Amino acid sequence: MTMNRRGLLGLFGAGAAIGATPAMAEAASASFAHGVASGDPGTDRVILWTRVTPAEGSSGPISVAWRVLEGEATVVSGRFDTGPERDYTVKIDVAGLRPGRDYRYDFAVGEIRSPVGRTRTLAAEGETSVNLAVVSCQLYPGGLFNVYEAIAALPSLDAVVHLGDYIYEYGAEADAYGMATGVALNRLPEPRHEIVSLADYRARHAQYKTDADLQAAHARAPFICVWDDHETANDAWLHGAENHQPETEGDFAVRKAAALKAYYEWMPIREAAPGALKEAIHRSFHFGDLASLMMVETRLTGRTEPLDYSGHLTAKDGPDGEPVLDLDAFRARLNDPARDLMGPDQREWLTRELKASKAAGRPWQVLGNQVVTARVAGPDVSRTMTPAQIEGLIAQVPEAFREQFEQALFLFKMGLPFNLDAWDGYPAGRERLYGAFADAGVQPIVLAGDSHAFWVNELKDAGGVRRAVEFGTSAVSSPSIGDAIGGFPLGAALMQANDEVAFCDQSAKGFVLLSLTKDRADATLMAVSTIFAKPFEVSPLKRFSVRPDGGLVDETGSNPPSQSTT
């Protein structure tokens, strides 16, 4: 299917009036430059969001009218007062709706009306199918958000599941992440420096929500979101982040608090309960009697300090006095039982939710998880290629990445994990997660983002027992490893080296379309042909199915779900 921008917001009637509203006294020059959004649907409620851009020079409060319509009838309406203390964002937890219903909504300041959004509540029972678009990793300078244009055109969509890296914290320096593309496309981050303060994080969220394709997707269906690391800083954990330097950027707790305040202001996510940790955003969504979606948090509530090869794989004296890598010490540290991504409170909650979902008779339990779960060792290409072949492949890698790539190939000869920031960096914690699955008596579908690659994995515990199936979505626009290493067939090499990896593509950009019915789950890996131009093509890269009591089946040769927008 060829995609081209043609007034996407117009597909939803966005910007069109849907009935008269009482005039208000606010200045007519206020606007809704950041679109509308909904999120966190329940059977009787949903979060509605927008942001009012005040008139130039205005700094006072603004009263915003909102309404929800079913068909042409207004079913609930109200007012929300906003101001600079919340960056003029508007967020309403609308209750009193009916289960399994489509609604429209909009906002108004005086005679100025917002675009119109579509949303949907969750069914209470009798759900026959659920369609979820799964996304992750949208670097604004990294490319166009063509993925969201494709999602906005889907004919059937219950929710968008966002697994994190909604924004990135980097600045616009020439060597900053993705800036070569950002300069070429004139998509430079705002502010131009790395974001640290509350004002910085607010400005970055605001820039992302000016993107027309992202606005269209938000107006199309409710989002169910969790953050990953870049909503605060790269490789964030409980007490810090790789991309946070206390000596120049201050206390990480202060930066984290600013990042989370801006996130809650700018995202259609339900506010934390009074007295609850703002970091604890794990929560559940039940799609009638068909499926439960459990969104977990693996960055800020339970993640212990990450390991990396440059800092934690040290040398020792070898038998001949020459230094050798101390693999035993590194593996001992890696397998420390205390290492975890998910603390005991969240794991106990997850176990209860999985058990309750199974007891309710739902055939599908889905985990919205940030990082790849599978056991993935880096590929030892020396086992399948001659030295000459390896040299030829290395020669295809751009010079800027060649030394790093050669170092990685050297480490991977030792069977070390491909990505220490994923669950592979926390094997004891992963076993506890699998123990929760076993205790609940379920084999869930695990969703993963973060890696900028497509994955289809069969998850097995340390004893080789299958515990779940995993579908990893590639990035919306963030650079992939495959982009950097030229013609090296990394995805194929990872598949060959790891029995848990059924499929891997380290280059394509796109999203996962997860379609659930009582008897099967279909995961279609949807790839866009480019993120550097319009128009573009969107097509199925791979399609796999799962039965509630069966294994994983490659259905790529069968007809994929229709993606027609006409």
Side-chain angles (χ1 to χ4, degrees), residues 15-22 32 65 67 106-116:
I18 50 177
T21 59
F32 295 92
R67 60 181 176 169
D106 70 352
F107 304 85
V109 176
E111 297 300 319
I112 305 301
R113 187 166 298 286
S114 76
V116 176

Side-chain angles (χ1 to χ4, degrees), residues 319-392:
D320 57 359
E322 294 295 320
V324 296
L325 293 177
D326 194 346
L327 294 175
D328 291 337
F330 179 79
R331 289 189 173 116
R333 189 166 186 174
L334 179 65
N335 291 294
D336 182 344
R339 294 187 59 72
D340 208 349
L341 292 186
M342 187 187 297
D345 291 346
Q346 186 178 181
R347 191 163 45 251
E348 290 169 8
W349 163 83
L350 177 60
T351 304
R352 292 194 302 270
E353 291 294 306
L354 292 171
K355 287 181 176 179
S357 178
K358 182 180 180 182
R362 298 185 185 101
W364 300 109
Q365 292 75 41
V366 182
L367 207 65
N369 150 76
Q370 288 72 64
V371 296
V372 172
T373 314
R375 184 181 288 103
V376 183
D380 180 4
V381 297
S382 66
R383 295 184 178 183
T384 56
M385 296 181 180
T386 66
Q389 288 173 321
I390 294 172
E391 287 298 320

Side-chain angles (χ1 to χ4, degrees), residues 258-423:
L260 297 194
K261 178 172 173 54
Y263 186 90
Y264 276 105
E265 288 172 348
W266 279 87
M267 296 296 290
I269 183 174
R270 190 162 280 109
E271 297 290 321
L277 287 174
K278 288 190 177 296
E279 295 91 334
I281 58 171
H282 53 274
R283 61 212 194 279
S284 294
F285 301 87
H286 305 295
F287 295 82
D289 47 15
L290 183 61
S292 296
L293 170 65
M294 279 70 71
M295 302 293 283
V296 300
E297 199 285 329
T298 62
R299 281 291 173 189
L300 303 178
T301 58
R303 181 182 283 252
T304 49
E305 185 174 8
L307 301 180
D308 64 79
Y309 291 122
S310 61
H312 298 102
L313 181 54
T314 56
K316 64 178 181 179
D317 290 337
D320 57 359
E322 294 295 320
V324 296
L325 293 177
D326 194 346
L327 294 175
D328 291 337
F330 179 79
R331 289 189 173 116
R333 189 166 186 174
L334 179 65
N335 291 294
D336 182 344
R339 294 187 59 72
D340 208 349
L341 292 186
M342 187 187 297
D345 291 346
Q346 186 178 181
R347 191 163 45 251
E348 290 169 8
W349 163 83
L350 177 60
T351 304
R352 292 194 302 270
E353 291 294 306
L354 292 171
K355 287 181 176 179
S357 178
K358 182 180 180 182
R362 298 185 185 101
W364 300 109
Q365 292 75 41
V366 182
L367 207 65
N369 150 76
Q370 288 72 64
V371 296
V372 172
T373 314
R375 184 181 288 103
V376 183
D380 180 4
V381 297
S382 66
R383 295 184 178 183
T384 56
M385 296 181 180
T386 66
Q389 288 173 321
I390 294 172
E391 287 298 320
L393 286 170
I394 290 173
Q396 298 180 45
V397 176
E399 189 173 350
F401 301 99
R402 196 169 298 162
E403 182 179 356
Q404 183 180 357
F405 182 66
E406 289 183 279
Q407 291 173 349
L409 292 183
F410 174 73
L411 291 175
F412 293 156
K413 288 182 179 181
M414 304 167 197
L416 294 172
F418 179 65
N419 182 5
L420 292 173
D421 188 54
W423 281 94

Side-chain angles (χ1 to χ4, degrees), residues 85-164:
E85 74 284 351
R86 56 177 299 118
D87 204 18
Y88 288 97
T89 59
V90 174
K91 187 157 62 172
I92 306 109
D93 195 348
V94 179
L97 305 178
R98 295 196 291 174
R101 300 283 176 159
D102 292 317
Y103 292 96
R104 294 181 296 153
Y105 61 94
D106 70 352
F107 304 85
V109 176
E111 297 300 319
I112 305 301
R113 187 166 298 286
S114 76
V116 176
R118 291 165 60 180
T119 193
R120 181 173 175 80
T121 53
L122 303 183
E125 59 184 2
E127 189 71 278
T128 58
S129 65
V130 170
N131 294 299
L132 304 173
V134 184
V135 295
S136 180
C137 303
Q138 53 199 56
L139 179 68
Y140 187 84
L144 304 177
F145 290 172
N146 289 343
V147 167
Y148 283 124
E149 184 178 345
I151 288 173
L154 289 172
S156 177
L157 182 63
D158 293 279
V160 177
V161 178
H162 200 297
L163 300 176

